[in-house]
Amino acid sequence: MAATLGEDTHMTDSGSTAPPALNSTRGNWGGRFGFILAAAGSAVGLGNIWKFPYITGENGGGAFVLIYLICIALVGLPILIGEVMIGTATQRTGVPAFRTLSRPGSPWMGFGWMGVAAAVLLLSYYGVVAGWTMHYAWLSITGTFAGQDAETIRGVFGKVFSSAGLNLSWQLIFMFLTTLIVLRGIKGGIELASKIMVPLLGLMLIALMIKASTTDGFAQATDFIFGMHGDDLTPGGILEAVGHAFFSLSIGMCCMLAYGSYLKRGTNIVASGTAIAGLDTLIALVACMVLFPITFAHGMDPESGPGLVFMNMPVALMALPGGSFWATIFFILLFVAALTSAISLLEVASSYFIDDLNWSREKATIVCGLAITVLGIPSALSGVPEGIYSEVFFGKSWFDGIDWAVSNVMLPLGGLGVALFVGWRMSATLRREVFTAGSPTLASLFGGWLFVIQWIAPAAVIIVFLQAIGVLDIGMFFAEAPAAELDTATTTD
Ligand code: PHE
């Protein structure tokens, strides 16, 4: 007999494996391929193209890449499978999914609530960064960078960051586009958009990589990314790799859970999860193969922090033959990557109202889209000099404060919640049934996965979390790593 949903839930009594959809308008993916593309679109975002290359640069290249690959395989992928599993098993999004598998009022539902809160907060400032990508794409298309000297191009970022008008208008346009896609539903909106945008993103990235391979910096970049320069890798860098694996795979905030809930029971979630994590990691590595050769060829330092994408890259791209064209492709690529991630964040928020409060998709999406846009205003104004949002949280701007809380606190806690819930609370029969669905060979992987999700993943997340909030200083165990270095390494920018 098929497994029931939970040990003590109202759903158990129904005796059915697949619970009825709560709201007939919630929708479904057209197929597994659509799900994989949409989930890969969520995973591949600014984190891959903007953040991964610069943290790789800061942590010395190849050794960090290796640690990151291990983190993806040992912590990220098992939790990603766990998150999709909760969604697929219940056919519900975050809060109602946790409720269904435990009991109404259960504290586990807190992880669902935190997921919604984290998605809302993250999208509120992600929209601002996405707005910058649109502004840069616009400047490139209109040829504004052409003929300008390096200092002027680098100076554009300061101007954009401090301009209330530019930030607010681009954020508004970006949020409008995001809302428009989510409004059209799962199959006709998110899936269709992902089927167009993810392949487009791949093509643009390949074109840029081919161009990058023709520059003088290519050999140096390959050595930097794949060569072992272990000396630059600090314990803080190792923790940053775990944290970034969460961010990059979009886990810990119910995004993959929500996307999994539109997947039919019986789908092979292990193969799908592996494809998603594989694509995400491949694209992060290819992004390095684009950014580093181009910046190296221009004699720039790889460790240039967050300014890498918005300051060094436009200068280095404009120095190439056909500079405006390549800059246009690069910033459109960033914009597309941001958009396919943003839709998954808005979906987390909207799907709560659709599933739990029975709102129509139109009402839920418009209300959430508007609310998140308004909540993003302080982030959009964070760079305005002497503005009221530039020093809100202990000297940090609103933007940095929210980014810190989401990346260092909410995401690891959310990931921990998923690992503990799937590993220890979910019905053992249901867990096995959903894991092994789709292929009999998966049974041989089940034990290993369960061990990781019960022990390894929670332990890794707890260490990262304690380090991120400053309770633990793992550098103490490594004599040569000064604490100050660790502090900066774990702070997100
Ligand atoms: N994974 C996205 C990125 O790499 C960010 C993201 C996190 C999106 C969590 C959705 C949920 O940029």
Side-chain angles (χ1 to χ4, degrees):
M1 169 158 157
T4 51
L5 279 165
E7 255 105 37
D8 55 358
T9 90
H10 49 297
M11 291 307 304
T12 312
D13 304 332
S14 75
S16 75
T17 313
L22 293 178
N23 183 330
S24 54
T25 62
R26 78 185 305 280
N28 261 315
W29 301 115
R32 186 162 82 106
F33 182 62
F35 161 71
I36 293 177
L37 277 189
S42 166
V44 176
L46 297 171
N48 300 60
I49 301 164
W50 176 41
K51 199 165 172 193
F52 183 73
Y54 87 72
I55 56 176
T56 301
E58 283 171 352
N59 290 293
F64 177 82
V65 171
L66 182 69
I67 297 287
Y68 180 74
L69 293 180
I70 297 173
C71 292
I72 289 281
L74 268 190
V75 186
L77 176 60
I79 296 186
L80 169 63
I81 293 173
E83 228 189 274
V84 174
M85 175 182 278
I86 301 177
T88 313
T90 55
Q91 303 279 293
R92 286 157 168 77
T93 191
V95 178
F98 281 103
R99 183 194 298 122
T100 306
L101 291 176
S102 51
R103 61 181 160 73
S106 147
W108 290 107
M109 283 164 59
F111 290 111
W113 286 114
M114 200 174 61
V116 176
V120 166
L121 288 174
L122 175 55
L123 183 52
S124 77
Y125 71 85
Y126 205 80
V128 177
V129 183
W132 300 340
T133 69
M134 293 176 82
H135 183 62
Y136 272 75
W138 175 250
L139 294 181
S140 311
I141 294 170
T142 51
T144 316
F145 291 134
Q148 291 190 342
D149 61 55
E151 267 331 288
T152 317
I153 298 178
R154 290 178 71 85
V156 170
F157 186 63
K159 288 204 192 106
V160 176
F161 190 55
S162 57
S163 157
L166 278 179
N167 277 303
L168 287 173
S169 352
W170 284 115
Q171 183 225 10
L172 189 71
I173 297 174
F174 181 79
M175 286 303 300
F176 177 75
L177 293 174
T178 308
T179 309
L180 216 58
I181 296 173
V182 177
L183 203 61
R184 301 181 67 91
I186 300 303
K187 204 169 155 197
I190 298 180
E191 182 171 340
L192 181 64
S194 306
K195 278 184 169 163
I196 298 169
M197 288 197 286
V198 175
L200 182 70
L201 185 151
L203 280 180
M204 288 190 287
L205 201 60
I206 291 171
L208 279 160
M209 196 179 78
I210 293 173
K211 181 71 187 169
S213 70
T214 64
T215 63
D216 303 339
F218 196 69
Q220 194 190 347
T222 322
D223 174 59
F224 180 73
I225 302 162
F226 298 108
M228 293 293 139
H229 311 276
D231 294 355
D232 291 330
L233 186 65
T234 62
I238 299 175
L239 296 179
E240 199 169 9
V242 186
H244 186 67
F246 274 71
F247 185 85
S248 191
L249 290 180
S250 303
I251 51 183
M253 56 172 67
C254 300
C255 264
M256 290 299 168
L257 195 161
Y259 274 15
S261 76
Y262 304 114
L263 202 55
K264 287 194 188 70
R265 288 281 298 270
T267 308
N268 184 336
I269 61 167
V270 180
S272 313
T274 310
I276 296 161
L279 269 174
D280 184 59
T281 310
L282 183 71
I283 289 185
L285 291 175
V286 176
C288 286
M289 296 302 293
V290 168
L291 270 79
F292 289 133
I294 293 178
T295 47
F296 278 144
H298 205 68
M300 286 167 164
D301 187 357
E303 305 171 31
S304 34
L308 180 61
V309 156
F310 292 108
M311 292 163 97
N312 284 3
M313 274 305 275
V315 173
L317 284 164
M318 289 309 295
L320 297 173
S324 287
F325 173 76
W326 292 108
T328 304
I329 298 282
F330 179 70
F331 287 108
I332 291 183
L333 165 78
L334 274 175
F335 158 68
V336 168
L339 187 58
T340 51
S341 295
I343 54 182
S344 72
L345 290 165
L346 183 56
E347 180 58 24
V348 171
S350 311
S351 60
Y352 167 72
F353 293 93
I354 297 172
D355 278 2
D356 229 17
L357 303 185
N358 228 20
W359 285 15
S360 68
R361 172 163 288 275
E362 288 72 21
K363 180 175 164 193
T365 310
I366 291 172
V367 169
C368 291
L370 272 177
I372 295 171
T373 309
V374 172
L375 191 69
I377 294 176
S379 288
L381 300 181
S382 284
V384 177
E386 329 292 305
I388 51 169
Y389 299 110
S390 55
E391 268 193 36
V392 184
F393 303 109
F394 307 103
K396 274 189 200 300
S397 68
W398 174 282
F399 182 107
D400 289 339
I402 302 275
D403 178 29
W404 184 86
V406 171
S407 309
N408 290 347
V409 181
M410 296 172 110
L411 276 181
L413 271 185
L416 179 65
V418 168
L420 293 177
F421 186 80
V422 173
W424 298 99
R425 177 64 180 84
M426 200 171 161
S427 139
T429 346
L430 179 67
R431 192 168 57 201
R432 178 180 274 279
E433 184 190 303
V434 181
F435 186 93
T436 52
S439 165
T441 52
L442 291 172
S444 57
L445 296 176
F446 181 73
W449 169 79
L450 189 60
F451 177 75
V452 171
I453 203 128
Q454 282 182 328
W455 299 102
I456 311 275
V461 179
I462 288 171
I463 295 173
V464 175
F465 179 65
L466 294 181
Q467 166 84 26
I469 60 170
V471 173
L472 178 81
D473 183 357
I474 201 177
M476 289 183 315
F477 305 110
F478 299 79
E480 70 282 3
E485 203 175 322
L486 294 173
D487 282 343
T488 44
T490 47
T491 308
T492 47
D493 305 84

